[in-house]
Amino acid sequence: MFVNPFATHFESLEEFADRVSELLQCPITIEDANHRLIAYSGHEHYTDPARTATIIHRRVPERVINSLWREGVIPKLLQSEEPVRVAEISEVGLGNRIAISIWKNKEVLGFIWAIEMNEPWTGHQFDLLKQAAKAAKNLLLQLQIRKHKKEERIQEFFWKLLTGHFSSSHDIVEQCHQLNVHVYPFFSVGIFQFQQHIQTQVERQIDYLLKTTQQLAIPLYTIDHQRLIVLVAPSSNVYGEVHIERFFRSFMTQMKERFRVDIMMGAFGNVYECYTKIAKSYEEAQTVLKMKRAFPHQLANIQSYQHLGMYQFFDLLFEKKRHGDFHNAALEKLKQYDAQHHTNLVETIETYLDCDSNVNETAKTLNIHPNTLAYRLKRINEIGNIDLGNMSEKVKLYIDMKLDKYRTT
């Protein structure tokens, strides 16, 4: 007669992990779907450096996760309910293991990891591990229900921060403590623009990457149609932007390589210290996205508001220009000349300024001879009465040309 060794009440997941370890005679760790440690068995058996680091930091080290992806282990665990044998990966301190996913319908709730001791596993041990995964499902579901209720409150709190609901930094910190959200000394708001509306499966993949990254902290995030909005917290303000840019590149690459999800662009606002500035950083990130759409070529490699340069001021300048406060007679003369003589002097001078007044680079971009470019620049000087040696004139002309393009987007 079959007897289920897990058909009993467990006071905690730790008690359950000890029971699994007792039956399998090996160390056991139980993780959630994002590789955060939930429970582990006692230390009477051998353990390895990867397990020790997981227990100390309450999460699997990122280098271990990356190795498991590279070796194809995690993709197997996300596709099958059967145990997966994991060969030793010595460079990250991971010994031989047997792993299994904990499933509810088509969703992975977590994983059980068992260190394989000296003797190869028997068929009975594999059966026990499968029974353990089924028994763990209900225990993890109880955790998930509590987690979802808390996340709903955190989501509401984050939107209040993004929309400037709080005027006091003290109130924000107090709310963070109540919701168990860690307060970091530096932060920025970032936005990832996806190509399509973010569906449930992609939400899970996003959650997985955000909660397994250890490049910087992500205390809060939310999804709004095609956008993922994150609060990122670099460890330092000195190299904060560099670390955020590195995280953005890594996140976009991993979404594509691991899950075949393309992200159109990413953007983030300035790094601040006062949490009342979250709404401001969010607004800045939105400005970057807006400018990247309007000027995709010029801003293709720009992600931060700090590096947006003159484009930071385009909304303000365009509003002034729309009310007739600005007029560039030189640009109007060049436009009229182009229209009457079917020339392209405006394109020439814009490309010339795009190339930072580099004659050879401009000629190459326009696919013309440098002598031809020199003649056109001379005509631009004559027709528009523009002194191309005067930085102020060049800057004004350049901004007005870009504002004209911005108006038509």
Side-chain angles (χ1 to χ4, degrees):
M1 180 180 175
F2 171 75
V3 177
N4 184 348
F6 303 106
T8 184
H9 174 72
F10 294 98
E11 292 293 336
S12 65
L13 272 161
E14 285 76 15
E15 184 182 340
F16 175 76
D18 282 335
R19 176 62 174 156
V20 178
S21 174
E22 177 189 345
L23 290 167
L24 294 176
Q25 288 298 294
C26 65
I28 294 293
T29 53
I30 303 174
E31 304 162 9
D32 68 11
N34 298 314
H35 306 294
R36 292 180 182 270
L37 183 67
I38 298 175
Y40 60 95
S41 63
H43 293 279
E44 64 270 16
H45 301 293
Y46 161 80
T47 191
D48 58 28
R51 184 173 187 265
T52 301
T54 299
I55 292 170
I56 290 172
H57 299 290
R58 309 298 298 178
R59 62 195 298 181
V60 181
E62 191 169 8
R63 67 183 188 281
V64 176
I65 296 171
N66 291 337
S67 295
L68 292 170
W69 273 97
R70 194 163 50 247
E71 296 297 323
V73 174
I74 293 177
K76 286 180 184 176
L77 288 169
L78 296 176
Q79 294 167 6
S80 172
E81 296 185 28
E82 292 298 311
V84 174
R85 187 181 292 278
V86 184
E88 178 185 14
I89 308 176
S90 57
E91 62 266 28
V92 295
L94 190 85
N96 293 324
R97 274 169 169 62
I98 309 295
I100 191 168
S101 305
I102 303 166
W103 289 79
K104 179 186 180 293
N105 300 328
K106 295 183 179 181
E107 180 183 357
V108 173
L109 301 178
F111 308 95
I112 300 176
W113 297 81
I115 292 182
E116 191 174 23
M117 306 303 282
N118 297 326
E119 297 296 323
W121 272 33
T122 64
H124 176 62
Q125 285 175 301
F126 279 103
D127 287 340
L128 282 172
L129 185 62
K130 288 196 277 189
Q131 291 174 43
K134 290 178 181 177
K137 178 184 72 173
N138 291 331
L139 296 170
L140 263 63
L141 278 173
Q142 294 171 24
L143 281 180
Q144 195 177 65
I145 290 169
R146 291 197 296 270
K147 186 178 95 172
H148 285 169
K149 287 181 179 178
K150 178 185 173 184
E151 284 180 350
E152 286 176 8
R153 288 159 50 217
I154 290 175
Q155 288 284 301
E156 181 183 357
F157 172 59
F158 190 28
W159 275 112
K160 285 181 177 179
L161 290 172
L162 293 172
T163 53
H165 177 82
F166 297 96
S167 58
S168 163
S169 214
H170 173 76
D171 291 344
I172 294 173
V173 172
E174 192 174 275
Q175 281 281 306
C176 286
H177 291 328
Q178 289 177 10
L179 294 169
N180 200 27
V181 174
H182 191 81
V183 178
Y184 293 88
F186 309 106
F187 68 86
S188 170
V189 175
I191 304 173
F192 292 96
Q193 180 74 47
F194 286 67
Q195 291 187 341
Q196 298 175 335
H197 187 91
I198 298 172
Q199 304 293 337
T200 303
Q201 179 64 20
V202 178
E203 282 189 31
R204 293 195 189 110
Q205 293 160 351
I206 288 168
D207 187 66
Y208 176 86
L209 286 186
L210 292 181
K211 289 181 178 174
T212 55
T213 185
Q214 291 165 33
Q215 295 181 48
L216 40 65
I218 316 285
L220 296 167
Y221 82 89
T222 190
I223 290 169
D224 182 27
H225 302 294
Q226 291 178 247
R227 289 183 171 186
L228 164 65
I229 306 166
V230 293
L231 186 70
V232 293
S235 58
S236 155
N237 196 20
V238 179
Y239 298 107
E241 286 190 15
V242 175
H243 295 158
I244 296 171
E245 285 178 348
R246 189 179 301 151
F247 161 71
F248 266 58
R249 288 193 298 270
S250 172
F251 182 83
M252 294 169 78
T253 299
Q254 289 184 347
M255 284 299 298
K256 185 174 180 63
E257 290 181 350
R258 294 183 180 181
F259 306 120
R260 298 184 182 87
V261 175
D262 286 313
I263 299 176
M264 290 172 60
M265 63 183 88
F268 61 93
N270 281 326
V271 177
Y272 293 102
E273 297 180 47
C274 178
Y275 269 54
T276 56
K277 296 286 183 67
I278 286 179
K280 182 173 176 58
S281 188
Y282 177 46
E283 184 180 333
E284 291 167 351
Q286 292 185 92
T287 298
V288 178
L289 287 183
K290 187 177 182 180
M291 292 301 128
K292 284 172 73 71
R293 284 194 298 270
F295 304 99
H297 175 68
Q298 291 86 351
L299 301 177
N301 298 318
I302 299 298
Q303 291 180 318
S304 74
Y305 185 77
Q306 181 65 31
H307 291 149
L308 206 54
M310 67 179 187
Y311 297 96
Q312 289 184 8
F313 314 111
F314 267 33
D315 280 330
L316 176 62
L317 292 173
F318 181 68
E319 190 64 22
K320 298 282 278 183
K321 189 178 179 71
R322 196 163 62 87
H323 287 92
D325 293 347
F326 295 140
H327 176 68
N328 194 314
L331 181 57
E332 294 304 318
K333 289 176 184 177
L334 292 177
K335 285 182 180 179
Q336 290 172 11
Y337 188 89
D338 278 345
Q340 292 170 5
H341 299 86
H342 306 290
T343 54
N344 53 1
L345 297 183
V346 172
E347 179 193 9
T348 299
I349 187 60
E350 183 177 8
T351 305
Y352 177 69
L353 297 176
D354 276 340
C355 296
D356 198 17
S357 304
N358 185 306
V359 171
N360 290 328
E361 189 178 339
T362 305
K364 183 178 179 181
T365 303
L366 293 171
N367 197 27
I368 60 176
H369 195 275
N371 291 342
T372 305
L373 175 60
Y375 171 75
R376 289 187 187 177
L377 292 176
K378 182 181 177 183
R379 293 294 293 143
I380 288 167
N381 176 273
E382 294 169 350
I383 295 165
N385 190 25
I386 301 168
D387 181 2
L388 294 178
N390 185 309
M391 178 60 75
S392 296
E393 285 191 38
K394 287 198 295 185
V395 168
K396 179 166 174 27
L397 178 63
Y398 190 59
I399 290 174
D400 282 332
M401 285 190 292
K402 296 304 181 186
L403 284 173
D404 265 7
K405 285 194 170 181
Y406 185 46
R407 180 180 57 187
T408 60
T409 58

